[in-house]
Amino acid sequence: MNARLTAAELCDERFLASLEALRIVARRVAPRGRFAEQRSRQLGGGIEFRDFRPYASGDDLRAVDWNIYRRLGRVFVRLFEEQQDLPLYLVPDVSQSAWFETPPRALAGLRAALALAAISLGQHDRVGVFACAEDLRVLQRPMAGKGRVLHLARLLAEVEPGGKTDLVRSLASLQALGLREGLVCVISDFFDPAGIEAVLGALRGLRHRLLLVQLVRASDRDPRLTGDVRVVDCEDGASADVSITPAVLERYRAAYAHFESALTEYARGRQSGLVQLDVERDVVAQLAGLFEDGTLVA
Amino acid sequence: MNFSALSPLAFALGLAGLALGLFLAQRLRVRHRRVTVVTTVFWKAAVEETRARVFVRRFRHPWAYALLLAIAGLLWLAVAAPESSGRGRALHVLVIDGSARMARGVVTSAGSAASGSAFEAALEAARERAAELPRARRSVLLAGAHLETLLAPGEELPLFDARARRLKPAACPATLEAAVARLADGPRPEEGLQLECFSIAEPDAALLAACAGPGFEVATRLLACDARENAGVVALGASPAQSGAWDTVDVLVATRSRAAPEITLDGAPLESSEARAVAGGFELVLRDLPARGGRLEARLAGGDALGLDDAAALTLPARPKLRVALSPNVPPALRAVIERDPGVVAAEGLADVVVRYAGESFGANTPALELVDEESGAPAFALRTPAEAADAAGDERANVALARWHDELGLGEIDATALAGTAGRPIELALQPADERGVALWASLCGERYDLARSRAFPLFIARALRWLANVPAFEGTLAAGEPRLAPEPRWTDAQGRTLDAAGGEARLPRAGAYTDEARREHAAALLDASTTGPVAAPPPARAPERLARFDPLPWIVLAALVLLLVEWRLVRRERIP
């Protein structure tokens, strides 16, 4: 198990450069956000013109469109769209299973988290990092600033491996934080002992938009095991004696397919983004596939 | 169906043991390799579906177990050697004549000579017959010098081949009848006994009739053999010389031949002055041949139907004169009898036997004929022996030995009643332990009071007593194969070093050849069997024996096991079973 990563492993200039062309655009951000580049549902003192409405007592006279008044003889005020930020809440899975195998899933997961963080910080959005394992750990409260990427890289590099995977509890804790509505990006293999149904139930409880990054490996779908084996869970030591036969492998694949389809169906139903990230391939290249024309509409 | 190698109970127990062993092995077989994985969620789901179909938790592969059990069961069945019962359940005993007459050449059914001997043809015929019979209900015996088992019930034919490979007919008279009689007297299986004899001659019809009975049948497969006229030596024996000379013997040679035999003594040719032609042969008498243990051979020209009877040998007895030392006090009557004995020579120094009065120191530590005082209370006759008789004195064996020596010494010829009447008391014969052999008698028996010294029994008793004291071996004038020796003791060993069986007090010479006695002297025994040498009747047309319908399931069982093994190998290769 690779217990620690270095900041250099997570982030270098090439990595950052490859992210420059990518943007995360919110369909609409929640109110009361700070000024940024995302369109909000609030109309007010922004830059982008949105609409007209009849003048009412108390409106700022600077907003009156005098050209319309001259042509129509009626007083209208111009309404502008307020541009606010889209908070990005990164929830990387740092449980023991993420550090098992080579290369560890945590490396790909943390690189993906850092990539998304870099993109958001570049758009003046705020980024918070919450590591999940047995429970949620706040690594970084939401913050903004382009220059904070390296800070985040160092932060993520210092992440300690957690215990067992408990996504249900971690997501409940995230919801309990009462964060402003934003984009929650869960980066995990989603192998929760409670089962995928329990995980999806916890995801439904989140009042945020969702981006699911599933960390996968080819052997997840097609395990290369033969003979009589005792498979032992790397986290809790739970074991199962299995005599590998084609029939057993068939049932294993069926169980995995069910898991995958449940996750996919959920993402589609909630109009959430879902990307399967092969941990043995380049992370940014795979993430780029998520961004149509360089833009991810959350 | 029955099992020829195992009982049904043993088969069932073995099968149950195999099933249990395989079951345990199947359970032990799951040696799980420990593999750490990211999650066991999917594996548990995959295994959960199969769990309901297994009968014990770890015993996951009932079909693999069933396959293994089927393979092991089939192999065990092959070991048990099942046989279809077919018709008839009698034990078939094939008896091959292995005597000298089977050395004759074999002829074809058309009468022309074929290669090999009748014995080889009998072996082949018996083998073919054994192959037709159920393994569990056949056995093959060889009636040669001994009755040997070539194939026991249940044994495979290759064993017969291996045992029969170096067999040859024994130079002995036919023992087929004796074998049939022995089998008839022996225990019979409930299902009955069917004997099939393979020979060139029918066993004695009277014997067969006597043996036949419920559950015992005898059939003969007669083999056509070379029935040309055959020559052979049919008698060869020595007897004490008619001239009365102790150290010479007369020899009789009888042949069934057209020409007189060539006779040699220790390689030197001998001529007979008394040769006469008799019906079908010759009889020759050779007088006064030196009895010094020489080897006398009679040989006929070969090239006839049977070679084993063309020569015969006899070791002539060695009969040196006894050296007897007489005490000066020996009664004249006794002295006169001893001095007139042609086999005795008076010895002044080293003697084989001494004759003296009891208490004299004359010839101490030498076997002695002692004269005792009648008034001393000693028995009239006493035999003293150092060996087993002394240890066994008083028991049954001692009585047997005493009776034997009573006859051997000619004591039966003495009129003991008359002696008792004269003595006024019983005449006793006693057996007494001693360091040396000895014979004691009342001195008065050699005197005038009794009639013994004047009777014909006296010189006979004295002569035999002296020879008994000197331990002179019995005169065995002829040694014929298949015949018992005249004196079973001392025991002889044959050329292979086997001691002749003296069961029942007789030692039969199983075959012609050389034998060695305890003193390492060699003795030659000859075939000397007129019926072996004599003509052979042409066999009637052979009647094919009843063929038993037989299905041997063994190859099919082995084949089925191999097929299942192939199936298992394929399933393992395809990972259908672990």
Side-chain angles (χ1 to χ4, degrees), chain A residues 224-231 244, chain B residues 31-35:
Chain A
R224 299 278 179 242
L225 292 180
T226 56
D228 293 311
V229 293
R230 172 167 293 163
V231 288
I244 308 293
Chain B
R31 290 272 185 273
H32 289 108
R33 185 162 41 92
R34 187 183 172 90
V35 177

Side-chain angles (χ1 to χ4, degrees), chain A residues 88-95 98 105-117 130 132 156 167 171 184-190 211-215 275 277 279 283 287:
Chain A
L88 175 65
Y89 307 119
L90 295 166
V91 186
D93 182 354
V94 293
S95 63
R105 290 171 201 252
L107 176 61
L110 293 175
R111 280 174 74 89
L114 187 61
L116 293 170
F130 307 89
C132 81
L156 292 175
L167 279 172
L171 294 175
V184 170
C185 179
V186 182
I187 305 168
S188 172
D189 52 16
F190 296 96
L211 174 61
L212 305 178
V213 178
Q214 184 188 2
L215 302 174
V275 61
L277 214 58
V279 298
V283 170
L287 274 180

Side-chain angles (χ1 to χ4, degrees), chain B residues 233-251:
Chain B
V233 180
V234 294
L236 176 61
S239 63
Q242 205 174 48
S243 64
W246 168 260
D247 51 358
T248 62
V249 291
D250 293 345
V251 171

